[in-house]
């Protein structure tokens, strides 16, 4: 197994070299990359919003609003069609998702059906859906009463069409802002995800995305004073609308639209030549110019209104006909607001209102701080892991470190080539991989030492050690990979980034352990021809330990049961400190512009805003403050309104570094997906271990892992750490780690079951656990080193994540020995319990058996 042909050697080092070449651009400034030859890789990692600042906004089309709009249009069509056919009707009204009309003359019912049948005819859905769809169904509940009901398929068609058009409009608006590489994607059937990295003014983006921007030009109704219309009833065909500027001035507006924004071909922010005030100049197409010219020519001396989303921007007087198809919109504009209005008009109107159901905004200053903290923590973690491997294994540790560096380079290279986005949880995934990557080498090296202690030569020990460790490494990493894959499909946002880095790290770890590490070991054996096994500075775990683990199993079981019950009781009584991801609401991080934040003053300012539950606490330094606002009663729109109130109250004295807003719709989905992620991963692992081992092993592994999950829940309750999306990532990672640890022990138990058929099961478990104790301790210590570096130097954003992970590692290590092992005794596993296939394998000499 230590022999490598020339072509294998070439492939191994070409892979490593490619990894280094594709990872290297991330160490070079972007300005320098442009001057390098074109044949060199230049693609860098895309930094997430939490690392470079920017906004993540999830927009949702309101299904009922679209249905109501379609019903309003259908009502007009019914009215027009019946009038054109000279058919008398009454009771034209809408109820729920339908409209109905009663035909007065029984003899005209069939004529009415014929006039209205086009409303119920199938329509071609074109690019939005396949085939055709019937938008409305016509029924006659009683003679003369025609009812038109909007079908679910019809609403789906309207949403699909509106979503496609909305993506185009949103893309034009965002691109007009001059941002760098925005991401605008469809998410689900009725949502649009907008990510704009590096945005300096996230509020401006929200303002632009939040407006429908339906522009119309309508006449002002001057037949009666507007005050009379407000106090009484507006004339038929007119509506009271208010101005956008404060104080809001009422206007009585005729419903008839002269020209709409659809006729605009251009809009630009300019300055009025007379007053030098910012204005928006516009230009109509030929049709719009003709209609506008005719209207102004016929209404000289009257007022007309320029209306945006049912609000009057301005209502000037027509002094003379405007025949050139151009004009300007004036109002209380600033240069920026005039530019924003021009952007909205050029991009066009949205076909439906878009509601912000989730917002995650990170200021550029916090992003740069996160990058520095993440880089420093990664360096410290790397130094600790590399130093520990040298300390524990000497020259073999040096080989493991070379493989580790190649492993990290391959991870970064693959992420760069895939165009993946690196987030803070992603950095955590890489650093965690550094801690866990040495696990494969530890398993191999400990097995090599064990073979050497049995009298084999170094070459034989190395060859046998790699062979025996193969099954263990594969089983252990596949179980963790299962957790990562499920996390990717059920997670969202940064959690997906964490899952991607973890999954890639697992694949590259297996590659480096059984190709690069093995090649380096073979090269060292050929060149140095050592006579003795290299040793580290000292052994953390002595050879041939005989710790009677099973003698403590009753005490361990009692402790585990008590802790699990206590965790469950605390969960149902005290409850967890749920973050906004799961309960909805807003989380705002601000930093004082002065030397210190005044918590009491902030609390006093916010108390008067009537926002319900508001928590204010110091976060990190004396200048940083974390504000949590409970879910608002008015739904997603109310959540955004609450943030605006907080911004208005604090922006003079505080910089807004991070804003997260999760509406009730998204929070319930995140909670469901998080729970399903944990349950699905446990089920998938149970199936895998059941297939690879026996049913006792599968149940034992899942019960011990479920024990770890319960203890982590209890830890979150006792510690009061906020439970959010990253907490789900922490739990699923611990699930993978715990299963990983348990599988290593179970692999050795399975091997010893083949070898020692008459040994009592308790003694066999003690033997197996002592044989794997060195690996358990060394892997745990290296992983804890990496997590400790993240916890201390990684910044406040991921500190709670890493603290929970540290507790989980300790709990997982404990359960692998004191829960997973004794469960095999409880399930009455005996050496004779192996399948016939295993029994055949058991007859083979020990050197040929797989671990």
């Amino acid at each position: 197994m230590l022999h490598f042909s020339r072509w294998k050697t070439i492939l191994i080092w070409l892979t490593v070299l490619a990894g280094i070449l594709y990872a290297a651009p991330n160490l070079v400034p972007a300005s320098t990359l442009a001057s390098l030859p074109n044949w060199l890789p230049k693609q860098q990692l895309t930094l997430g919003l939490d690392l470079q600042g920017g906004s993540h906004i999830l927009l949702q089309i309101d299904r009922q609003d679209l249905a109501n709009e379609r019903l309003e249009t259908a009502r007009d069509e019914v009215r027009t069609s019946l009038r054109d056919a000279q058919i008398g009707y009454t009771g034209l009204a809408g109820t729920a998702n339908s409209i109905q009309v009663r035909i007065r003359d029984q003899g005209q019912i069939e004529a009415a059906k014929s006039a209205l049948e086009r409303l119920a005819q199938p329509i071609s859905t074109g690019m939005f859906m396949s085939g055709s769809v019937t938008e409305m169904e016509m029924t006659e509940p009683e003679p003369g009463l025609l009812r038109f009901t909007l079908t679910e398929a019809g609403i789906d068609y309207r949403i699909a069409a509106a979503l496609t058009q909305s993506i185009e409009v949103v893309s034009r608006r965002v691109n007009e802002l001059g941002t760098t590489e925005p991401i605008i994607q469809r998410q689900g059937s009725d949502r649009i995800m907008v990510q704009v990295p590096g945005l300096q003014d996230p509020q401006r983006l929200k303002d632009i995305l939040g407006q429908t921007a339906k522009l119309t030009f309508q006449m002002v109704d001057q037949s009666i004073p507007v005050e009379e219309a407000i106090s009484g009833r507006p004339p038929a065909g007119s509506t009271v609308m208010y101005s956008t500027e404060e104080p809001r001035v009422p206007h009585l507006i005729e419903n008839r639209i002269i020209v709409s924004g659809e006729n605009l071909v251009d809009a630009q922010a300019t300055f009025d030549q007379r007053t030098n005030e910012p204005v928006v100049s516009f230009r109509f197409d030929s049709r719009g110019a003709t209609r506008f010219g005719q209207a102004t020519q016929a209404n000289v001396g009257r007022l007309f209104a320029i209306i945006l989303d049912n609000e009057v921007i301005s209502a000037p007087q027509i002094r003379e006909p405007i025949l050139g198809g151009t004009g300007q919109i004036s109002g209380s504009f600033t240069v920026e607001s005039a530019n924003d209005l021009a952007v909205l008009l050029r991009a066009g109107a949205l076909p439906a209102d878009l509601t912000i159901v989730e917002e995650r905004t990170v200021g550029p200053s916090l992003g740069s701080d996160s990058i520095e903290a993440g880089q420093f923590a990664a360096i410290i973690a790397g130094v600790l892991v590399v130093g520990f491997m040298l300390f524990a294994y000497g020259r073999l540790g040096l080989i493991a470190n070379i493989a580790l560096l190649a492993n990290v380079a391959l991870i970064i290279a693959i992420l760069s080539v895939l165009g993946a986005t690196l987030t803070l949880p992603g950095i955590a995934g890489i650093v965690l991989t550094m801690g866990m990557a040495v696990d494969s080498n530890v398993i191999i090296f400990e097995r090599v030492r064990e073979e050497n202690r049995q009298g084999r030569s170094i070459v034989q020990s190395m060859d046998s050690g790699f062979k025996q460790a193969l099954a263990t490494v594969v089983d252990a990493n596949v179980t963790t990979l299962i957790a990562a894959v499920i996390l990717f499909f059920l997670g969202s946002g940064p959690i997906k980034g964490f899952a991607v880095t973890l999954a890639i790290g697992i694949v590259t770890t297996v590659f480096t352990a059984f190709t690069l590490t093995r090649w380096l070991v073979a090269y060292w054996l050929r060149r140095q021809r050592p006579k003795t096994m290299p040793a580290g500075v000292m052994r953390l775990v002595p050879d041939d330990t005989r710790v009677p683990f099973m003698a403590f199993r009753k005490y361990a079981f009692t402790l585990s049961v008590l802790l699990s019950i206590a965790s469950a009781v605390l969960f149902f009584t005290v409850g967890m400190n749920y973050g906004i991801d799961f309960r909805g609401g807003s989380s705002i991080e601000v930093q004082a512009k002065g030397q210190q934040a005044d918590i009491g003053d902030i609390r006093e300012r916010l108390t008067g805003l009537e926002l319900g539950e508001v928590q204010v606490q110091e976060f990190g330094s004396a200048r940083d403050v974390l504000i949590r606002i409970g879910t608002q009663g008015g739904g997603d729109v109310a959540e955004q309104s609450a943030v605006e109130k907080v911004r208005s109250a604090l922006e003079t004295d505080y910089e807004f570094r991070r804003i997260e807003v999760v509406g009730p719709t998204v929070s319930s989905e995140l909670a469901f997906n998080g729970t399903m992620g944990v349950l699905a991963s446990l089920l998938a692992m149970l199936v895998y271990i059941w297939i690879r081992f026996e049913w006792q092993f599968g149940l034992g592994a899942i019960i011990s892992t479920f024990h770890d999950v319960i203890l982590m829940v209890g830890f979150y309750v006792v510690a009061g750490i906020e439970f959010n999306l990253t907490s789900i990532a922490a739990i699923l990672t611990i699930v993978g780690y715990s299963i990983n640890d348990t599988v290593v022990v179970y692999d050795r138990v399975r091997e010893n079951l083949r070898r020692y058929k008459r040994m009592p099961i308790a003694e066999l478990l003690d033997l197996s656990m002592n044989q794997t104790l060195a690996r358990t301790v060394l892997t745990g210590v290296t992983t804890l080193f990496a997590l400790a570096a993240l916890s201390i130097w990684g910044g406040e954003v991921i500190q709670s994540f890493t603290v929970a992970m540290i507790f989980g590692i300790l709990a997982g290590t404990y359960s692998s020995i004191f829960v997973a092992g004794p469960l095999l005794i409880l399930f009455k596993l005996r050496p004779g319990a192996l399948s016939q296939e295993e029994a055949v394998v058991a007859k083979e000499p020990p050197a040929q058996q797989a671990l």
Side-chain angles (χ1 to χ4, degrees):
M1 196 169 181
L2 292 176
H3 171 73
F4 287 84
S5 62
R6 180 172 298 179
W7 69 268
K8 285 186 179 179
T9 299
I10 293 173
L11 284 178
I12 291 171
W13 284 104
L14 280 178
T15 302
V16 174
L17 178 62
I20 295 173
L21 283 176
Y22 280 94
N26 294 283
L27 303 175
V28 181
S31 56
T32 306
L33 286 176
S35 61
L36 296 178
N38 292 330
W39 56 270
L40 284 175
K42 297 182 180 181
Q43 189 168 355
Q44 293 181 313
L45 276 172
T46 302
L47 297 181
L49 302 182
D50 51 359
L51 295 178
Q52 62 171 318
S55 287
H56 164 98
I57 294 177
L58 189 62
L59 304 164
Q60 184 174 38
I61 292 178
D62 192 306
R63 186 180 184 89
Q64 192 57 49
D65 278 354
L66 267 182
N68 293 340
E69 185 177 327
R70 178 66 186 103
L71 289 173
E72 184 65 33
T73 303
R75 188 184 292 113
D76 291 339
E77 291 179 13
V78 169
R79 183 185 297 112
T80 302
S81 297
L82 293 179
R83 284 179 180 176
D84 290 345
Q86 297 181 346
I87 298 174
Y89 65 91
T90 186
L92 177 57
T95 58
N97 279 352
S98 64
I99 58 171
Q100 62 186 28
V101 62
R102 185 176 295 277
I103 307 303
R104 291 175 179 168
D105 187 351
Q106 295 292 319
Q108 291 186 309
I109 293 177
E110 292 304 319
K113 290 182 180 179
S114 177
L116 299 176
E117 65 178 354
R118 59 188 181 86
L119 286 175
Q121 288 180 347
I123 58 174
S124 175
T125 56
M127 61 180 289
F128 306 117
M129 299 170 64
S130 59
S132 61
V133 65
T134 301
E135 265 198 291
M136 308 193 82
E137 293 178 345
M138 181 171 63
T139 58
E140 189 176 1
E142 57 184 80
L145 181 64
L146 302 182
R147 180 174 295 164
F148 296 86
T149 303
L150 191 59
T151 65
E152 288 297 315
I155 299 176
D156 291 341
Y157 160 69
R158 287 285 167 178
I159 289 178
L163 192 66
T164 301
Q165 186 179 345
S166 296
I167 290 174
E168 295 178 1
V169 174
V170 168
S171 299
R172 288 197 294 268
R173 291 184 184 182
V174 174
N175 290 330
E176 287 277 3
L177 291 177
T179 54
T180 304
E181 297 181 358
I183 300 173
I184 301 161
Q185 296 176 345
R186 175 176 180 156
Q187 191 167 89
S189 61
D190 59 353
R191 292 177 183 171
I192 302 172
M193 183 195 70
V194 180
Q195 288 187 347
V196 185
L199 187 64
Q200 299 296 317
D201 188 1
Q203 184 59 37
R204 186 182 177 200
L205 174 66
K206 286 170 56 180
D207 291 340
I208 286 179
L209 294 180
Q211 286 190 258
T212 308
K214 289 185 177 179
L215 182 74
T216 59
F217 294 80
Q218 298 169 230
M219 298 304 299
V220 176
D221 187 343
Q222 298 173 274
S223 61
I224 64 171
V226 67
E227 292 78 9
E228 184 178 331
I230 295 174
S231 59
R233 186 172 182 177
S238 295
T239 304
V240 176
M241 297 183 184
Y242 290 83
S243 64
T244 56
E245 57 191 31
E246 297 291 344
R248 292 169 66 83
V249 179
H251 299 271
L252 186 59
I253 307 298
E254 293 182 2
N255 293 342
R256 182 174 60 90
I257 296 174
I258 301 171
V259 189
S260 69
E262 296 176 357
N263 300 115
L264 281 179
V265 293
D266 191 24
Q268 298 290 337
T270 58
F271 291 92
D272 191 310
Q273 294 181 354
R274 296 169 298 174
T275 63
N276 205 33
E277 293 179 347
V279 296
V280 177
S281 298
F282 60 85
R283 181 164 54 89
F284 290 121
D285 59 17
S286 58
R287 182 184 177 188
T290 301
R291 294 181 63 181
F292 192 63
Q294 291 172 347
T296 55
Q297 193 169 28
N299 293 281
V300 173
R302 290 187 60 189
L303 301 177
F304 80 99
I306 303 172
I307 300 168
L308 183 70
D309 292 341
N310 295 322
E311 291 187 323
V312 180
I313 298 177
S314 62
Q317 184 180 37
I318 303 173
R319 301 186 183 277
E320 58 185 16
I322 304 174
L323 305 176
T326 61
Q328 67 181 32
I329 303 172
S330 59
S332 301
F333 291 127
T334 62
V335 173
E336 184 174 87
S337 63
N339 273 319
D340 288 348
L341 178 57
V343 166
L344 291 172
L345 298 182
R346 287 198 301 271
L350 290 168
D353 291 338
L354 295 177
T355 303
I356 298 176
V357 295
E358 181 183 8
E359 176 196 355
R360 301 181 190 274
T361 296
V362 178
S365 61
L366 179 60
S368 60
D369 291 347
S370 299
I371 292 176
E372 293 177 5
Q375 288 177 338
F376 187 72
I379 292 172
I380 296 298
V383 170
L384 288 175
V385 172
V386 167
F388 180 75
M389 289 301 291
L390 289 173
F391 176 85
Y393 288 107
R395 187 162 296 183
L396 288 179
L398 176 62
I399 291 175
N401 287 333
I402 294 173
L404 176 62
L405 293 176
N407 189 11
V408 173
L410 286 171
I411 294 173
I412 295 175
I414 293 173
L415 290 173
S416 300
V417 171
L418 293 177
T421 299
L422 182 65
T423 61
L424 270 178
I427 290 180
I430 292 176
V431 176
L432 181 62
T433 300
M434 292 170 58
M436 295 180 64
V438 299
D439 178 52
S440 298
N441 288 318
V442 168
I443 292 174
I444 294 169
F445 293 160
E446 287 302 312
R447 193 60 192 245
V448 167
R449 282 177 168 174
E450 187 177 336
E451 297 292 327
N452 186 247
R453 289 195 299 270
Q454 294 176 3
R456 292 183 174 85
S457 67
I458 292 183
V459 174
Q460 290 174 331
S461 299
M462 290 290 182
D463 188 61
S464 179
F466 275 99
K467 288 180 180 178
Q468 302 277 18
L470 177 60
T472 304
V473 172
V474 170
D475 283 337
N477 283 281
V478 166
T479 51
T480 309
L481 184 62
I482 289 172
V485 170
I486 291 175
L487 190 60
F488 176 80
F489 283 105
L490 296 183
S492 62
I495 305 303
K496 285 184 179 288
F498 174 79
V500 169
T501 55
L502 184 61
I504 292 173
I506 291 170
V507 174
T508 56
T509 293
V510 174
F511 167 77
T512 54
F514 283 95
T515 54
L516 184 60
T517 301
R518 196 156 52 90
W519 189 94
L520 290 171
V521 167
Y523 180 79
W524 170 66
L525 290 175
R526 288 196 305 271
R527 292 294 300 269
Q528 300 295 324
R529 300 186 181 277
K531 301 300 181 182
T532 59
M533 186 68 64
V537 176
M538 64 173 292
R539 291 280 288 167
L540 291 183
V541 178
D543 296 332
D544 297 324
T545 57
R546 288 180 170 82
V547 180
F549 291 108
M550 293 303 102
F552 303 103
R553 67 179 183 274
K554 294 182 180 179
Y555 304 105
F557 263 1
T558 302
L559 177 63
S560 294
V561 169
L562 291 176
L563 288 176
S564 298
I565 293 174
S567 296
V569 170
L570 287 171
F571 174 76
F572 288 109
T573 56
V574 178
M576 302 180 77
N577 178 21
Y578 289 107
I580 64 168
D581 293 327
F582 300 128
R583 60 182 174 88
S586 305
S587 176
I588 305 170
E589 183 184 338
V590 299
Q591 186 177 73
K593 295 179 180 179
Q595 295 299 315
Q596 186 171 355
D598 189 337
I599 302 292
D601 177 60
I602 293 176
R603 190 175 286 114
E604 184 178 346
R605 293 192 200 184
L606 300 184
T607 301
L609 299 180
E610 299 181 355
L611 299 176
E613 178 190 358
V614 177
Q615 300 176 8
V616 183
Q617 66 185 65
E618 188 174 294
F619 182 71
S621 69
R623 296 178 61 200
D624 297 320
V625 177
L626 182 63
I627 302 168
R628 291 193 182 95
I629 305 173
T631 304
Q632 304 298 300
D636 296 309
V637 175
E639 303 291 349
Q640 292 295 319
S641 177
V643 173
E644 292 311 306
K645 290 180 180 179
V646 174
R647 184 184 292 276
S648 299
L650 301 179
E651 63 183 351
T652 54
D653 301 316
Y654 294 88
E655 174 193 350
F656 283 68
R657 288 161 62 84
R658 180 168 60 91
I659 298 175
E660 294 186 2
V661 182
V662 179
T665 305
V666 174
S667 63
S668 60
E669 293 176 2
L670 293 177
F672 176 79
N673 290 341
T675 304
M676 291 303 298
V678 175
L679 295 178
S681 62
L682 287 173
L683 179 61
M685 292 175 185
L686 170 63
V687 173
Y688 177 78
I689 296 174
W690 198 317
I691 293 173
R692 290 286 294 137
F693 296 84
E694 297 290 333
W695 68 266
Q696 294 98 330
F697 291 95
L699 284 181
I702 294 307
I703 292 174
S704 65
T705 305
F706 192 67
H707 159 273
D708 299 338
V709 172
I710 293 176
L711 291 191
M712 284 199 72
V713 169
F715 174 76
Y716 272 103
V717 176
V718 173
I721 297 175
E722 181 180 296
F723 191 80
N724 49 32
L725 276 178
T726 56
S727 304
I728 293 292
I731 288 180
L732 279 173
T733 305
I734 293 305
V735 166
Y737 181 90
S738 179
I739 285 283
N740 184 308
D741 212 11
T742 302
V743 166
V744 171
V745 175
Y746 277 1
D747 261 338
R748 185 56 66 97
V749 171
R750 181 174 59 177
E751 178 183 347
N752 287 332
L753 282 171
R754 300 166 181 164
R755 183 176 297 176
Y756 307 107
K757 294 187 175 183
R758 297 184 179 181
M759 181 180 291
I761 189 65
E763 293 181 20
L764 188 142
L765 289 172
D766 277 338
L767 173 64
S768 303
M769 291 173 186
N770 278 283
Q771 289 173 336
T772 57
L773 184 60
R775 173 264 162 199
T776 299
V777 172
L778 291 172
T779 298
V781 170
T782 52
T783 307
L784 289 174
F785 274 163
L787 290 172
L790 274 179
S791 177
I792 298 172
W793 294 287
E796 289 285 339
V797 177
I798 57 174
Q799 187 177 50
S800 60
F801 173 82
T802 52
V803 168
M805 287 281 292
I806 289 172
F807 175 82
I809 295 296
L810 296 175
T813 303
Y814 161 83
S815 69
S816 297
I817 297 174
F818 292 106
V819 178
L823 280 172
L824 297 180
I825 300 178
L826 185 66
F827 294 149
K828 302 186 183 303
L829 179 70
R830 291 290 183 267
L834 290 174
S835 64
Q836 292 298 319
E837 180 182 352
E838 298 282 354
V840 173
V841 177
K843 297 178 182 179
E844 299 179 2
Q848 297 179 13
Q849 295 171 14
L851 185 62

